[in-house]
């Protein structure tokens, strides 16, 4: 920041000196008896080296010396200002290169560290917790904006694709003690797990899975533990609903706010769907509803019209008009048909858009 400020000051000083030189030069020729337009023309072709001949003959030694001074002063001011522009452009690139080199050297010194693949919401929460625990870690992400964010927080970070062996080797996977792949792409998580296990057989690998069907694949690829955020979140919400003190959880503003803040950390969204008499969802089973949604969400609870709460509803349970269905899923994955066929009341979380 300091060097950038110095460049701007250099540009301002150079332009100011150039402007002062132009004014003094025009005034000098004007006082020598030249017409104002001739004086301006003479100054321009003299300072900027156009190469045209003099407007009028320089018939006195004083005028010749004055012209020499105009050339020296004008050229120096111009070069000084242009140098400021060049410095302003190049110093950013130089600092970026030096920063990348410094980052690379810092990562090379890490031992017994944790490699985090993905700096999304879950990755950010994980980094914050590890930083508080003073556990060394390095982040890999292919999004330049996220990498910049990680750098601003003081984290070791590498821009690149974590599925590539070269990137994992660059962050010292052979020296690492654990790898956490928390991307939203299950296929990428499986590939990273498989690659990481091949590069370091002793590595502890924790992988994120979007769907329950991916858990087995991740374990077969070499993951020691598999975390399914949707399943964990659904079980927790269902547990809260079944407790007497939390029967009205969805109606309590304070409790709802705390819950949604926690859900926002893992990119999840909670919907409280009311089945109206005109909804095509009335009369269908839980299983049919999940099939139509291509299993991209979980139904964690059903509250009947009489207030009875059913947690972990069986797939055979038939939905009735007046029921309220608590659906948990990722913000981008909850199907559009739920919004079309049901009266929806969305439980907003911090950062959500209405």
């Amino acid at each position: 920041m300091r060097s950038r400020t110095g460049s701007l000051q250099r540009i301002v000083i150079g332009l100011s000196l150039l402007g002062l030189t132009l004014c003094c030069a025009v005034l000098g020729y004007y006082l020598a008896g030249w017409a104002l337009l001739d004086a301006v023309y003479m100054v321009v072709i003299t300072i900027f080296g156009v190469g045209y001949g003099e407007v009028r003959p320089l018939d006195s030694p004083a005028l010749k010396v004055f012209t020499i001074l105009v050339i020296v002063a004008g050229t120096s001011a111009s070069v000084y200002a242009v140098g400021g522009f060049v410095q302003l452009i190049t110093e950013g690139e130089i600092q970026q290169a030096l920063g990348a080199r410094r980052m690379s050297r810092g990562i090379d010194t890490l031992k017994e560290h944790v490699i985090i693949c993905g700096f999304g919401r879950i990755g950010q929460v994980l980094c914050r917790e590890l930083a508080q625990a003073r556990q060394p870690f390095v982040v890999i992400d292919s999004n330049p904006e996220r990498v910049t964010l990680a750098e601003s927080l003081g984290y070791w970070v590498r821009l690149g694709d974590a599925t590539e062996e070269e990137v994992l080797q660059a962050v010292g996977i052979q020296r690492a003690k654990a790898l956490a792949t928390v991307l939203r792409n299950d296929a990428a998580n499986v590939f990273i797990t498989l690659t990481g296990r091949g590069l370091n057989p002793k590595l502890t690998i924790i992988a994120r899975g979007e769907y329950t069907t991916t858990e087995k694949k991740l374990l077969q690829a070499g993951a020691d533990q598999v975390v399914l955020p949707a399943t964990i979140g659904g079980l927790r919400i269902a547990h809260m609903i079944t407790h007497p003190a939390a029967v009205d959880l969805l109606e309590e503003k304070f409790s709802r706010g705390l819950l949604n803040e926690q859900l926002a950390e893992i990119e999840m969204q909670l919907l409280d769907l009311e089945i109206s008499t005109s909804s095509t969802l009335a009369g269908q089973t839980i299983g049919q509803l999940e099939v139509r949604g291509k299993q991209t969400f979980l139904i964690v609870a059903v509250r009947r019209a009489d207030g009875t709460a059913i947690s972990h509803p069986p797939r055979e349970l038939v939905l009735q008009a007046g029921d309220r269905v608590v659906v948990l899923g990722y913000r981008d994955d909850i199907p559009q048909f739920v919004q079309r066929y049901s009266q929806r009341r969305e439980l907003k979380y911090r950062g959500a858009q209405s």
Side-chain angles (χ1 to χ4, degrees), residues 250-262:
L250 302 179
E251 304 296 340
E252 298 177 6
K253 182 178 180 180
F254 178 73
S255 298
R256 187 174 66 231
L258 292 178
L259 175 60
N260 285 317
E261 283 191 10
Q262 296 176 356

Side-chain angles (χ1 to χ4, degrees), residues 313-329:
R315 293 175 57 85
E316 297 78 18
L317 181 67
V318 178
L319 299 176
Q320 303 173 2
D323 288 349
R324 292 172 61 187
V325 181
V326 182
V327 181
L328 179 69

Side-chain angles (χ1 to χ4, degrees), residues 78-89:
S78 300
V79 171
Y80 192 80
V82 171
F85 280 108
V86 174
Q87 180 182 358
L88 185 65
I89 295 173

